[in-house]
Amino acid sequence: MVHRLFILGALLASTACTQTTTSLPTSSAAAVQDDGRWPAVTSRVRPDAAQERRVDAILAKMSDEEKVAQIIQPDISSVTPEDVRKYKFGSVLNGGNSAPGGNETGPASDWLKLADRFWEASMSAKWSGEKIPVIWGSDAVHGHSNIVGATLFPHNIGLGATRNPELIRRIGEVTALEMAITGLDWDFSPTLAVVRDDRWGRTYEGFSEDPEIVRAYAGQMVEGLQGRPGTSDFMGAGKVIATAKHFVGDGGTLGGKDQGDNPSPPQQLRDIHGAGYPPAIEAGVQAIMASFSSVRAEKVHGDRDLLTGALRQQMGFDGLVVGDWNAHGQVDGCSNTSCPQSINAGLDMFMAPDSWKDLYTNTLAQVRSGVIPMERLNEAVRRILRVKARAGMFEKGKPSARPYAGQFNLLGSSAHRAVARQAVRESLVLLKNQGKVLPLAGSANVLVAGDGADNIAKQSGGWTLTWQGTGVTNKDFPNAQSIFGGIQEAVRAAGGTATLSTDGRFTTKPDVAVVVFGEEPYAEFVGDRASLEFSPADKRDLELMRRLKAAGVPVVSVFLSGRPMWVNPEINASDAFVAAFLPGSEGGGVADVLFRGAGGAVRNDFKGKLSYSWPKRADQTPLNRGDANYDPLFAYGYGLSYADNGNLRRLSEDRPAGVSAGADGVVFGRSGLPSGWSLGLMEEGGTVAAVTGNAGRTATGRLIVSGVDRRAQEDARRFVWNGAGGAAAQISAAQPLDISREANGELSLVVEYRVDQAPSAPVLLGMVSGAGSRVTLPITGALRAAPAGQWTSMAIPLRCFRTAGVDMQRVIAPFAISTAGRLSLSVSDVRIASAAVPQNQCGQP
């Protein structure tokens, strides 16, 4: 058993809430050098001479076409088993929004059937020499999270708070076995980002802001997934190929911008952002994924110094380097369908989800012309074959014939869920416990409130069944338990009662209220934020807490989030405040810690310690242990136990001037616009009227806007065109928006609306960009087909606007709707988000 706690000493800031923090054992492979070079690492997976001879023999008989196909990885949404048979691809993947038959909530058996079909296709192809099986990769980043019924672990931010490397290894073991059940071979995990700016939308994918935790966890997760090198467990039954990602620096981009630039000097890049890679390589990781981001303005996918120099020559990594989702297309001089620069820099496999066909053709031509040297192609294919040989892919047979395959009763089994529940218990961080209101008596009358209380999707976050973790309900999680479900179970067992009331209303005054609230699910750049303020435009959670407090009901808040956030008003409104992060499928783990047992004894104490510093102000980022003038609200390593004095002074609720409000992606919603944005009405001919506030009405001669109720009083707007001529309603941003990443990432402009009077003339939805260029798409058909008087939604892919001519790097107005006819339309929400619509569905005339 690895020792869990090592005294590190006092933290730096005396003004923050501080405690003695903990350190973790480090790998000998992480020794630093002073010249900027990366350390030499000895992998515990030793070269096998017989295996190498076999790889060379296979490679010698392969045609150029077969070699090129091995280095291209299409997505299952755009490639068929017949394509695999024809081209002989080395790998396929399922992206966050891909699933067999396009059914993301389909049964696990569909995944195994499709895995068999791909394998059979690769083995029935006409090969020049030995048959080479295809392998399937997937983002199982917190359990096998694409599969209905699988065990979902806390996201990495919560696991960082556990300070338990042995638990991390066990989580890897469970994840690998559940992947094997469905026939998959390769996990794109673990994420080894050291997150230095919590505005980043992938913060929750990182274990910590500090390299010590990442360094201690990296090898453990790799061993859990792949098995221990040198034993029969390595790549044996129930094991999958692991991937350390994203090499390197993705957690340190300027402004926390996903796919942005990391300006770190070489020593800092190695010692902070690269801390997890030496122990992962030592533990035998067989794949490393290159980062979307840049290092000092050079895209990693084209950086030979990193992909070849640091990884191969200095650290001695001999596995395969795979790209990220069309990320090669961001390299200077490249496109999604042509990028010899990436292969020549040291990439071994393109991730080409939808660009594979033209990429194959162009890459083959580049090999034949010598733009990609044959030596480099052979090297890439040799590494892919080596990994397949080490993983036993040439001997394993088809997926359904392997150990554990098809044993669907093991998905979300009680034993696996017990591991996840332990992880939840140990990940919870107690930030406040005024008057020792916790632990709660199990015999109490408990009110459970908040929209996160009975919401498994919200407690699980992004990368859960869908890419963004949205569009699913509790029924899609048959083996999971919501936080309310866990509280109800615990309280009933102790003789108490638990009542669910999302809005916090009650008829009989409860003894205590547990309020579960937090961020909505998101993934990748969709979660990038301008500040760390929690939902400043939506005060429902805060109002709920204050209303309960005013009624004399003690409030215990459970905060669900993918990062530390400025929640001072919510902390002030709570008697106890728990950072639960994103706990996953086992909501019962929360109740295990909050409530005493039937006899009144404490069942489980709080163990979690912050692996990220918690901000004192909404604009306090970057904020990391070791910073000059380090002054957090709660320091790295903070976390109360029941024995501690949990009283907290009243916190300042002042918002610093200039802090941007709201999460990126919200155009209109939660009763208003982001700070500094504007809504205007305009007519053909130049009449313009600015709309201020929600109440009352604003009008031109052709268009009237007024407040209307949907979820709360006047939280939506009604637009009425009288048919007297052309008029438009337009939402303009405070400054031009760059949404080019969102357009590349298959996001849509999503509008929630209600048709009160159908249109009498064509209606156009548009954007304004550049110097004022307006592009529109028809939506008349959608509005006429919508049921009158009922709220519904439409989604138009951003790439439709881009194709029509919008400059996605300078969007002035992301929403403009116009008509010359009569129309009455109410709008409650406009946002840029993921939506399950065909990417070529560009409006309805």
Side-chain angles (χ1 to χ4, degrees), residues 537-548:
D538 184 352
K539 302 301 182 185
R540 285 177 295 175
D541 302 305
L542 182 58
E543 291 167 357
L544 183 160
M545 296 173 199
R546 288 174 173 169
R547 189 173 68 246
L548 289 167

Side-chain angles (χ1 to χ4, degrees), residues 567-580:
V567 283
N568 285 16
E570 288 81 5
I571 293 175
N572 285 338
S574 306
D575 295 282
F577 197 92
V578 178

Side-chain angles (χ1 to χ4, degrees), residues 448-472:
V448 186
D451 67 356
D454 195 33
N455 191 332
I456 297 170
K458 186 163 184 169
Q459 74 190 38
S460 298
W463 295 108
T464 304
L465 298 186
T466 67
W467 174 37
Q468 295 295 314
T470 55
V472 291

Side-chain angles (χ1 to χ4, degrees), residues 503-542:
D503 64 3
R505 304 289 178 181
F506 57 84
T507 52
T508 301
K509 182 179 175 181
D511 298 322
V512 66
V514 177
V515 179
V516 187
F517 72 106
E519 291 189 285
E520 295 301 320
Y522 55 82
E524 299 193 55
F525 50 79
V526 178
D528 285 0
R529 295 184 66 104
S531 82
L532 294 181
E533 183 172 2
F534 169 67
S535 299
D538 184 352
K539 302 301 182 185
R540 285 177 295 175
D541 302 305
L542 182 58

Side-chain angles (χ1 to χ4, degrees), residues 767-785:
M767 291 186 178
V768 182
S769 66
S773 174
R774 182 182 301 270
V775 170
T776 60
L777 298 171
I779 59 170
T780 318
L783 298 184
R784 286 177 174 164

